[in-house]
Amino acid sequence: MTNNNRGGFLNPESIVKEFGLKQGMQVADFGCGAGYFTIAMAKLVGEEGNIYALDVLKTALESVRSRAKIEGLLNIRTIWANLELKGGSKLEDESMDLVLLANILFQSSKKVSIIREAKRVLKKGGKMIVIEWKARQPFGPPEDLIVDKDLIKEKIEKEGFVFSKEIPAGHNHWGLVFIKS
């Protein structure tokens, strides 16, 4: 098995199995980075589905394009985006079945803006999945940047999402699933 995870801390292939992805789904990977989740999700949604890999770093998007080409995946679209702005994803309103926010919220002081952009592009009943670093562990970002799971859950629910469940995301991360009501 290839080690396509994020520095050994996440196993995207096993984590995405928890997302309930189906053939033909439209999925946005907000802050896709090098595309570890993008690639794993693209395999599950099949040729009829699409993964929109969004990042503010053009080098990250180039990495995703290269990996998609190597894997022979034609269902990945890369978008240079500022997710902190309304409409910054460049995606249509209510066009996505699922939006993934993996290790992106800790990097932003505008967490609610990112959540609102995810809400804007999600279909009614669509899922938003948040994966972030756990606190009090030797890896990951500085402790003052760690996103508190309960606090972010509260913020997301205030934006009109309904908490669905917690998913396993490895030893160093937590994962939460929300439904757009």
Side-chain angles (χ1 to χ4, degrees), residues 5-142:
N5 59 22
R6 292 186 172 196
F9 296 113
L10 289 168
N11 183 336
E13 288 79 14
S14 69
I15 295 170
V16 298
K17 290 177 185 171
E18 302 288 333
F19 295 1
L21 293 170
K22 295 179 176 55
Q23 295 276 319
M25 288 182 91
Q26 304 300 307
V27 177
D29 187 356
F30 276 22
C32 64
Y36 300 114
F37 283 102
T38 303
I39 299 296
M41 292 188 298
K43 292 174 182 177
L44 293 176
V45 300
E47 293 177 14
E48 300 300 314
N50 288 296
I51 305 295
Y52 296 87
L54 297 90
D55 209 287
V56 71
L57 297 176
K58 291 181 180 180
T59 53
L61 298 174
E62 190 55 47
S63 175
V64 171
R65 284 191 287 273
S66 296
R67 293 188 69 216
K69 188 174 182 179
I70 289 167
E71 297 271 351
L73 296 168
L74 304 175
N75 61 347
I76 296 173
R77 314 279 176 265
T78 57
I79 300 172
W80 182 62
N82 182 345
L83 300 167
E84 295 178 340
L85 300 175
K86 183 176 181 180
S89 70
K90 303 173 185 158
L91 296 171
E92 296 291 324
D93 291 356
E94 300 184 3
S95 59
M96 297 292 118
D97 297 299
L98 185 144
V99 174
L100 174 64
L101 307 178
N103 285 341
I104 179 178
L105 294 177
F106 84 87
Q107 300 180 57
S108 176
S109 61
K110 298 182 177 179
K111 294 167 183 41
V112 173
S113 296
I114 295 170
I115 293 162
R116 286 179 179 157
E117 182 62 8
K119 182 179 180 182
R120 183 187 68 77
V121 304
L122 269 173
K123 296 174 182 175
K124 185 173 174 65
K127 292 181 188 175
M128 180 174 68
I129 298 174
V130 178
I131 296 172
E132 283 290 337
W133 289 93
K134 289 180 180 174
R136 295 178 296 285
Q137 41 100 13
F139 308 106

